[in-house]
């Protein structure tokens, strides 16, 4: 029997490129583009959730993402002509022009657009583009198997992990493909000193002795927008702050629950690490399930406590 052909991902109709909205087919860069040749760029990923009940699209924590791309740009000596407010307005207009009525993913991207050879960040021109595409689950949310990567997490004094730098994601790609080739769903990084850092492109949380724990921001993690959201949920639901500290690899092996989170990944429960069932059973735990449930209701506009996370698109 012939294999079912893999359908190509849907493409946007309209994108924002070089200061205007244009058809996707017209948004092109040169093979000499500095950002293409050297990875000199930074980006964000922003989720939009369609609510059938409310007939509305909700963009999740939009301003926080645009604030972070400004921070990434400062680290890379990039200039941005658009303020956070202006970027938010452009994102809303982009979604409206594409007339989305399903969950989406918005990608703002800054890159050095000069057509020239030479490794540097100075004396170059920053360009800004943004597109949006339909997106469901990025990775499975019903339980994934992870392995510790042989690749170490990039260090802040080498390639800053707290900036979403385009070229830096080769670190994530190497770890992700290594895990895939070993038969796992996802990778978990250790940092240079051997402590747990994060997943290939997601932050990590662990439940140990009834406490929710996550690596601190000085463990070469991306300071995730969704990470902060989960910490907010945990504080409200469980009445105590998340513990930010170092996590040993063997502590993960004996923890009670484990999950990864990120804007794209949402919340992905981990049921196995290095062929060791999480919690001894490999079953998604109660704290993880609670956080998943609250988060899902929050992003669809069904929990008033988190209404300030959301920006409506069509009635804005």
């Amino acid at each position: 029997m012939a294999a079912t052909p893999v359908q190509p991902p849907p493409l946007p109709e309209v994108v924002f490129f070089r200061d205007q909205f244009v058809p996707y087919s017209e948004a092109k860069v040169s093979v000499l583009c500095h950002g293409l040749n050297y990875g000199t760029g930074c980006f964000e990923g922003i989720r939009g959730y369609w609510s059938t009940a409310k007939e509305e699209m909700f963009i999740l924590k939009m301003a926080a993402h645009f604030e972070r791309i400004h921070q990434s740009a400062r680290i890379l000596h990039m200039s941005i002509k658009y303020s956070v407010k202006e970027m938010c307005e452009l994102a809303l207009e982009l979604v409206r022009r594409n007339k989305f009525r399903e969950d989406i993913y918005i990608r703002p991207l800054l890159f050095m657009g000069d057509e020239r050879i030479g490794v540097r960040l100075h004396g170059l021109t920053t360009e800004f583009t943004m597109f949006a595409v339909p997106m469901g689950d990025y990775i499975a949310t019903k339980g994934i198997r992870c392995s510790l990567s042989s690749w170490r997490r990039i260090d802040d004094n080498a390639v800053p992990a707290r900036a979403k730098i385009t070229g830096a994601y080769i670190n994530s790609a190497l770890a992700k493909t290594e895990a895939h080739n070993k038969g796992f769903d996802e990778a978990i990084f250790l940092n240079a000193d051997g402590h747990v850092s994060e997943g290939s492109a997601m932050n990590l949380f662990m439940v140990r002795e009834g406490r929710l724990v996550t690596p601190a921001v000085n463990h070469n993690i991306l300071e995730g927008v969704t990470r902060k959201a989960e910490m907010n949920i945990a504080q409200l639901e469980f009445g105590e702050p998340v513990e930010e500290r170092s996590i040993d690899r063997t502590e993960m092996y004996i923890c009670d629950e484990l999950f990864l989170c990120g804007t794209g990944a949402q919340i992905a429960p981990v049921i196995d690490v290095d062929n060791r069932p999480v919690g001894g059973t490999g079953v998604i735990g109660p704290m993880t399930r609670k956080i998943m449930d609250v988060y899902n209701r929050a992003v669809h506009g069904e929990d008033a406590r988190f209404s300030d996370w959301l920006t409506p698109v069509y009635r804005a």
Side-chain angles (χ1 to χ4, degrees):
M1 179 181 293
T4 302
V6 177
Q7 296 298 314
L11 299 175
E13 293 185 12
V14 179
V15 303
F16 187 76
F17 183 70
R18 291 179 175 160
D19 301 324
Q20 60 185 325
F21 291 100
V22 301
Y24 170 76
S25 60
E26 295 180 12
K28 306 294 184 182
V29 298
S30 166
V31 294
L32 270 173
C33 174
H34 200 275
L36 173 63
N37 282 272
Y38 298 108
T40 47
C42 57
F43 68 98
E44 280 297 319
I46 307 171
R47 280 273 192 177
Y49 290 91
W50 174 252
S51 171
T52 302
K54 298 177 184 291
E55 282 288 303
E56 182 58 279
M57 177 77 74
F58 294 107
I59 309 300
L60 178 63
K61 288 188 167 286
M62 181 167 59
H65 284 284
F66 286 125
E67 287 166 1
R68 190 171 62 184
I69 204 171
H70 273 259
Q71 294 170 4
S72 295
R74 290 208 304 271
I75 291 173
L76 293 179
H77 297 284
M78 304 181 87
S79 61
I80 308 179
K81 66 170 66 175
Y82 299 103
S83 67
V84 169
K85 182 179 179 181
E86 289 169 333
M87 285 181 163
C88 288
E89 292 169 351
L90 288 172
L92 292 174
E93 181 62 20
L94 176 69
V95 176
R96 293 187 193 114
R97 288 188 181 223
N98 282 280
K99 301 177 182 178
F100 289 115
R101 293 293 190 279
E102 58 189 308
D103 292 353
I104 61 170
Y105 186 80
I106 304 170
R107 167 57 53 83
L109 172 66
L110 294 166
F111 62 97
M112 298 303 195
D114 303 75
E115 297 178 33
R116 60 179 66 184
I117 298 298
V119 180
R120 64 185 185 279
L121 293 172
H122 61 278
L124 297 172
T125 304
T126 305
E127 294 195 16
F128 174 63
T129 187
M130 182 162 47
F131 62 85
V133 293
M135 179 179 281
D137 288 346
Y138 175 69
I139 60 175
T141 57
K142 296 182 179 179
I144 61 173
R145 300 178 63 249
C146 297
S147 66
L148 288 177
S149 179
S150 67
W151 298 93
R152 291 299 173 100
R153 184 65 174 137
I154 52 176
D155 187 79
D156 188 65
N157 289 310
V159 182
R162 64 170 35 86
K164 285 182 72 71
I165 300 169
T166 55
Y169 274 71
I170 192 64
N171 183 229
S172 297
L174 287 165
K176 176 79 172 187
T177 293
E178 178 187 59
H180 174 271
N181 289 344
K182 293 194 298 183
F184 292 90
D185 302 303
E186 187 52 63
I188 294 174
F189 278 116
L190 301 179
N191 59 21
D193 65 7
H195 290 107
V196 175
S197 179
E198 59 183 15
S200 68
M202 296 81 73
N203 292 122
L204 178 146
F205 285 83
M206 172 185 78
V207 177
R208 181 89 198 277
E209 297 177 347
R211 294 291 303 275
L212 196 59
V213 183
T214 192
V217 295
N218 60 354
H219 282 67
N220 294 323
I221 69 169
L222 177 70
E223 296 181 19
V225 173
T226 305
R227 175 181 180 269
K228 291 180 181 178
E230 308 314 335
M231 295 173 76
N232 186 197
I233 289 173
Q235 174 75 59
L236 289 173
E237 293 296 325
F238 308 123
E240 58 183 33
V242 175
E243 187 176 352
E244 298 181 78
R245 63 168 174 81
S246 298
I247 297 175
D248 292 327
R249 64 183 297 171
T250 55
E251 193 174 15
M252 277 199 312
Y253 293 159
I254 62 172
C255 73
D256 302 313
E257 302 179 39
L258 192 68
F259 66 87
L260 302 176
C261 73
T263 299
Q266 302 172 106
I267 303 174
V270 179
I271 59 174
D272 182 284
V273 180
D274 284 347
N275 296 309
R276 294 168 174 86
V278 172
T281 63
V283 175
I284 301 171
M287 289 185 72
T288 302
R289 286 196 179 279
K290 180 65 174 178
I291 291 171
M292 291 177 69
D293 178 63
V294 173
Y295 184 77
N296 184 60
R297 288 188 287 108
V299 301
H300 287 95
E302 298 169 3
D303 192 325
R305 295 176 297 173
F306 307 102
S307 59
D308 61 335
W309 290 7
L310 307 176
T311 303
V313 173
Y314 297 113
R315 68 168 186 262

